[in-house]
Amino acid sequence: MLSFSSTTVKNLLLKRRLCFLLKLVCFVSSVLIFCEFLIYYVIIFRCQWPEVKGGAHMGEKETSTSVLKAMILADTHLLGEIKGHWLDKLRREWQMERSFQTALWLLQPDIVFVLGDVFDEGKWSSPQAWAEDVRRFQKMFKYPVSTELVVIVGNHDIGFHYEMTTYKVNRFEKVFNFTSGKLLTRKGINFVIVNSVAMEGDGCAVCRAAEAKLVVLSHKLNCSRQKPDHSNKRCSDVEKLPASEPILLQHYPLYRKSDAECSGEDSAPPEEKNIPF
């Protein structure tokens, strides 16, 4: 009788332990699923596209098909083989991939711009390391045919001006179809893409080529803003673009005297805002 009772108690304890273990596994699994997958939907679901009032095209009624939905990213800095630890890569890249893919699924942008510094070590990468970094980027930032991805070059992709070479620029252009001085027109909006690393103004070979393309592009934009005039021969053979003010896309920010006019969560502390650059 005593042996029977002892066996029953042991079975009950074992069942309780198994039940506790099962509950623990379910709890931990639920936390992991929420924190590593569902949380991105919870946060990004709160984001909405702003309502367009007046529209980009004067005199036209704006519809969902005439409004361009553009998402802008920058400085993904995918770690390379020199400074990147595999665990750090795994964690960062999972978070970036889940954020990007969730945003694509929920917001469905027409176009996504990545404003440079795609890679952290592009300026140093060997051909093998470059190919591996590109493979990881394309896996993380894959996109549907309904969305266009436009990638702009940054200093970490090809090096600062004194490190930039034609080889590095061509390598980036080949993968991302990037050209400095390129113009994209989407739904009546003109985007001008610039390699800001090449805007040093010292007459280097890459700089001269980029500046020459911008001069041609500037002429085309100026002609498109003028009224038709048969007497203006300089614009007679120029392809007309939508007469909208161009949006400049580049990696480096444009010069400003100080951070005095900047506001928001990422703005400089009050004691630093008026310090001149």
Side-chain angles (χ1 to χ4, degrees):
M1 185 71 179
L2 185 60
S3 176
F4 176 77
S5 299
S6 176
T7 303
T8 303
V9 171
K10 288 181 179 179
N11 288 337
L12 286 174
L13 288 174
L14 182 61
K15 286 182 179 179
R16 286 179 181 177
R17 288 175 182 174
L18 289 173
C19 185
F20 173 77
L21 183 61
L22 183 61
K23 289 180 180 178
L24 181 62
V25 170
C26 290
F27 174 76
V28 172
S29 299
S30 299
V31 170
L32 286 174
I33 291 172
F34 180 79
C35 293
E36 299 300 332
F37 190 78
L38 295 179
I39 187 65
Y40 299 98
Y41 291 89
V42 174
I43 298 300
I44 297 177
F45 184 75
R46 294 153 55 188
C47 300
Q48 294 180 343
W49 295 107
E51 182 181 353
V52 178
K53 296 180 180 180
H57 313 290
M58 300 303 293
E60 293 184 14
K61 184 178 179 181
E62 291 297 327
T63 64
S64 59
T65 57
S66 60
V67 173
L68 183 71
K69 295 185 292 184
M71 187 163 73
I72 298 178
L73 313 174
D75 296 86
T76 53
H77 280 275
L78 268 66
L79 297 175
E81 67 174 4
I82 300 174
K83 298 171 64 176
H85 188 275
W86 69 267
L87 184 59
D88 196 8
K89 286 183 185 179
L90 183 68
R91 183 65 184 150
R92 291 190 193 199
E93 292 177 10
W94 167 257
Q95 291 178 323
M96 283 194 283
E97 181 176 353
R98 290 315 323 147
S99 299
F100 182 73
Q101 296 302 328
T102 304
L104 283 188
W105 191 79
L106 288 177
L107 301 175
Q108 299 182 1
D110 299 312
I111 191 167
V112 177
F113 296 105
V114 184
L115 301 185
D117 279 3
V118 177
F119 307 110
D120 193 56
E121 300 178 4
K123 54 187 178 181
W124 303 322
S125 294
S126 65
Q128 295 78 15
W130 171 263
E132 172 59 20
D133 291 346
V134 168
R135 183 196 64 79
R136 285 165 34 230
F137 176 84
Q138 292 174 339
K139 171 184 174 295
M140 293 165 55
F141 294 92
K142 56 181 179 291
Y143 53 96
V145 293
S146 58
T147 299
E148 183 178 3
L149 182 70
V150 179
V151 182
I152 290 90
V153 74
N155 55 281
H156 274 261
D157 301 314
I158 58 174
F160 286 99
H161 176 253
Y162 54 85
E163 297 174 304
M164 177 180 61
T165 64
T166 303
Y167 168 76
K168 294 176 186 176
V169 173
N170 291 341
R171 182 170 70 174
F172 190 92
E173 290 181 352
K174 183 177 179 181
V175 172
F176 296 106
N177 192 28
F178 169 84
T179 303
S180 183
K182 182 177 180 180
L183 183 136
L184 290 178
T185 302
R186 299 293 182 267
K187 296 187 177 181
I189 302 174
N190 297 318
F191 296 95
V192 177
I193 297 173
V194 174
N195 174 6
S196 48
V197 186
M199 295 293 108
E200 191 74 12
D202 64 349
C204 75
V206 177
C207 300
R208 287 199 308 271
E211 290 170 7
K213 291 178 181 178
L214 284 179
V215 170
V216 174
L217 188 55
S218 175
H219 176 62
K220 184 182 293 187
L221 286 167
N222 287 330
C223 287
S224 297
R225 292 178 63 83
Q226 296 176 8
K227 294 181 178 180
D229 184 1
H230 296 291
S231 62
N232 188 351
K233 296 181 179 180
R234 294 182 68 250
C235 294
S236 59
D237 297 329
V238 176
E239 176 192 1
K240 295 298 184 292
L241 301 168
S244 68
E245 295 181 355
I247 297 175
L248 180 66
L249 298 174
Q250 61 179 31
H251 179 64
Y252 291 158
L254 295 176
Y255 176 78
R256 58 183 182 273
K257 292 182 179 180
S258 69
D259 280 333
E261 297 183 3
C262 299
S263 60
E265 295 181 2
D266 296 329
S267 61
E271 64 272 15
E272 297 180 10
K273 281 195 170 184
N274 293 307
I275 298 176
F277 292 143

